[in-house]
Amino acid sequence: MDKEESVRSLTETMAKFTAYIGKRLPNDVKDKLAELRTMETNPLAKAIYMSMADNQEAADKLDRPSCQDTGVIQYFVRAGAKFPLLGELEQILHDATLGATKMGPLRHNAVETFDEKNTGTNTGSKIPWLDWEIVPDEDTAIIDVYMAGGGCTLPGKATVLMPGQGYEGVTDFVFDVITSRGVNACPPLLVGVGVSTSVETAARLSKRAILREVGSHNPNENAAKMETLLEEGLNEVGIGPQGLTGANSVMGVNIESSARHPSTIGVAVSTGCWAHRRGKIRINADLSYEIISHKGAAL
Amino acid sequence: MSRKILSTPIRDEDLEGLNVGDVVYLTGHLVTCRDVAHRRLIEQGRELPVDLRGGAIFHAGPIVREKDDGHFEMVSIGPTTSMRMEKFERQFINRTGVKLIVGKGGMGPETTAGCQEGKAVHAIFPGGCAVLAATLVEEIERAEWQDLGMPETLWVNRVREFGPLIISIDTKGNNLIEQNKAVFNEKKLPAIERIKSQVRFIK
C-alpha cells in the first residue's frame, strides 16, 4: 500500500470501529451488567435491568446507536514511535469521526464554545479529543475510543486536597460525587478515580481509569485495596439502576495514580454510565488490526 | 396487571391519583424540549412553536435520520439529564400548561413546586434505552426550531404506550429521587467511616 492508500484504509477501519462501539457494549461491561441483574431482588430495579438488556438487543438487531447520546468522541492513543502513520494519525481520527457520524449515524455533539453553534459534523476545534502516549521502539498503536456522553460527563469533578486530609479525604470526595451528581448519570456507573498531584493530572488519570476493564485492579496493593473498599462501600448505599435504589450502586471503582507533590493530593472522579461505550483496538504496522474489547466483532 | 396509560391531552384528574414510584405509559404526542428551548421561552420570552397545554415534553436530544422523501425517522431517543432544566422548569410549567415531563434522574425543589402548582408530574424513562424508546415512536409529525441542530430541535413525536415511565415527582409535592438521596446520604456514613479507618496510608 502506498501512503495515501494506507491513510484511507486506516481511516475506514477507525470510522467503522467508532460507529460499532456505539451499538454494542464491550464484553467486560456486558458481563458485569448481567451479573448485577441477577443480584437484584427489587422488582423496579429488575425491570430496569431488563429494559437495558432489551435495548442492547434491539440496538444490535436494528444496527443503531444504543443510546442517542453518542458523546463527544475521544481517542486515547498509545502509539509506538515507529508506527508508520504516527504523523497522520490525528487527521485520520478526525476523518474517522466524520465517517462514523454518517455511518452510525452519530448525534452531532460538537458545539463551538463562545460562538455557541453546533458544527453539525460532530467535529470541531480539538474535537475529536486526542490523548497521546508514545512508546519507544514499538511499531503498533493501541487506540481506545470513548463516547463521552453528556449525562455521565456531568458528575466529573477534580480538586486538590491537603495532605492532612489524606486518603480519608479522597474517600469523602468520591462518595460525595457519586451519591449526589452520580445518581442522575445513569447508574450503575463505572467510577474512575485519579490520585495524583494537581487537578489536570488527576482528571486525566481518572478518565484513563474508566478505560481500564471492569474488575481489573491497580497494580499497587494499597490502591487495589482502596478500589475494593470504595466499590463495596458504594454498593452498600444501594443506588440501584437509574438511582431508583437496588442491591448495588456501581459496576466498579478503578483508580489510576501518579507520584505527587509532598504538599498536595490531586484527586478527580470521572464516571462511565451503564452504557459504557468504549472500544480498544490494536493496529499493527501493516495496518491489520485486532479488536480487544469486543470478542468476535466484525467491522 | 394492566398498564396505566395516559393520553394527551392530559387532564388534572388523570394525574391526581398518581404517586411517586408508579409506572405509567403515554399514548399521544411527546415533544422533545431541552436546554435551549427552555432558555428561549423563559429568558428570552419567545413563544414556543408548539402548544403544550395538556401536553407532554421529553428531555431528550435524539438521533434522527432524514429519509429521501423528506420525512424524518427516529433512530435513537433516550432521556437526557433532567436536572439541567431545573432552573427553568417551574416557570415553564406555569407558562405552557405542560402536564407530563419525561426525563432522566431527579429534579429539584423548584420543579417539585411547579408540579404542585400546575398539577403536573415528572417521570423517568430508563436512561440509555434509546432504541427501545425509538421503536415506540410511531411518527415524527413535525420538527420545529431546526436552527438549534439535531439534539435541540423540538421533535413532535406521535407515540403509543411509550414507557415505562416511573413517576418521580407527583402532584402532591413528593420527589422520589430526593427521597432516595436522603436515604443514600444516611447509608453512606457508616461505609465512609469504615473505609477511612483502612486507608490511613500516610503515616
Side-chain angles (χ1 to χ4, degrees), chain B residues 14-116:
Chain B
D14 299 330
L15 302 179
E16 280 163 349
L18 291 179
N19 295 307
V20 292
D22 287 353
V23 178
V24 300
Y25 293 79
L26 176 74
T27 293
H29 288 96
L30 180 62
V31 184
T32 64
C33 195
R34 45 182 277 160
D35 307 72
V36 186
H38 280 74
R39 194 176 272 269
R40 280 187 176 180
L41 177 75
I42 305 305
E43 283 189 356
Q44 300 181 2
R46 291 174 65 171
E47 279 305 308
L48 280 185
V50 182
D51 183 1
L52 289 175
R53 274 173 299 176
I57 61 167
F58 194 10
H59 294 154
I63 301 173
V64 173
R65 190 163 17 210
E66 190 166 2
K67 293 188 281 194
D68 293 338
D69 61 5
H71 283 84
F72 294 108
E73 180 196 14
M74 188 55 77
V75 175
S76 195
I77 181 171
T80 195
T81 310
S82 287
M83 193 56 99
R84 295 203 313 271
M85 273 53 77
E86 168 68 7
K87 190 178 165 191
F88 306 111
E89 210 67 276
R90 184 179 187 172
Q91 281 175 277
F92 188 96
I93 295 166
N94 185 269
R95 289 277 299 277
T96 60
V98 70
K99 286 288 167 197
L100 171 64
I101 299 155
V102 180
K104 181 181 89 181
M107 295 191 73
E110 284 294 307
T111 304
T112 309
C115 282
Q116 213 169 354

Side-chain angles (χ1 to χ4, degrees), chain A residues 109-120:
Chain A
N109 271 346
V111 175
E112 283 299 351
T113 45
F114 293 103
D115 298 335
E116 287 305 311
K117 283 267 176 272
N118 191 320
T119 61

Side-chain angles (χ1 to χ4, degrees), chain A residues 51 55 64-68 107-108 151 167-168 172 179-180 184 186 222 225 229 236-239 242-243 274, chain B residues 61 63 74-76 78 104-106 127-132 180-181 184 187-188 194-196 198-201:
Chain A
S51 294
N55 185 68
R64 292 184 187 182
S66 63
C67 176
Q68 82 292 340
R107 202 173 73 179
H108 302 157
Y167 293 83
E168 298 91 320
D172 278 328
T179 58
S180 57
N184 290 339
C186 277
N222 283 339
K225 176 182 164 190
L229 288 170
E236 271 174 45
V237 175
I239 292 172
Q242 301 297 322
W274 72 264
Chain B
I63 301 173
M74 188 55 77
V75 175
S76 195
K104 181 181 89 181
C129 296
V131 179
L132 256 192
N180 289 349
K181 276 189 181 174
F184 301 152
K187 277 189 169 175
K188 78 179 180 186
R194 198 186 61 241
I195 295 168
K196 280 184 176 177
Q198 296 179 72
V199 295
R200 298 203 173 108
F201 303 134

Side-chain angles (χ1 to χ4, degrees), chain B residues 89-162:
Chain B
E89 210 67 276
R90 184 179 187 172
Q91 281 175 277
F92 188 96
I93 295 166
N94 185 269
R95 289 277 299 277
T96 60
V98 70
K99 286 288 167 197
L100 171 64
I101 299 155
V102 180
K104 181 181 89 181
M107 295 191 73
E110 284 294 307
T111 304
T112 309
C115 282
Q116 213 169 354
E117 291 156 3
K119 289 259 187 292
V121 296
H122 176 266
I124 293 172
F125 182 87
C129 296
V131 179
L132 256 192
T135 60
L136 301 169
V137 173
E138 291 186 318
E139 195 189 352
I140 297 176
E141 292 189 352
R142 282 158 61 200
E144 301 290 343
W145 279 354
Q146 290 188 51
D147 60 300
L148 295 178
M150 193 197 285
E152 299 268 359
T153 292
L154 277 71
W155 301 99
V156 181
N157 303 290
R158 195 178 67 244
V159 299
R160 175 166 296 275
E161 299 200 18
F162 187 93

Side-chain angles (χ1 to χ4, degrees), chain A residues 198-244:
Chain A
S198 55
V199 277
E200 87 287 2
T201 60
R204 178 172 184 254
L205 289 169
S206 72
K207 185 52 85 62
R208 295 202 77 94
I210 58 169
L211 299 178
R212 241 179 55 205
E213 277 196 13
V214 175
S216 64
H217 277 292
N218 188 301
N220 179 287
E221 207 176 301
N222 283 339
K225 176 182 164 190
M226 190 154 181
E227 288 176 336
T228 305
L229 288 170
L230 287 171
E231 179 180 345
E232 288 171 357
L234 286 168
N235 280 338
E236 271 174 45
V237 175
I239 292 172
Q242 301 297 322
L244 292 165

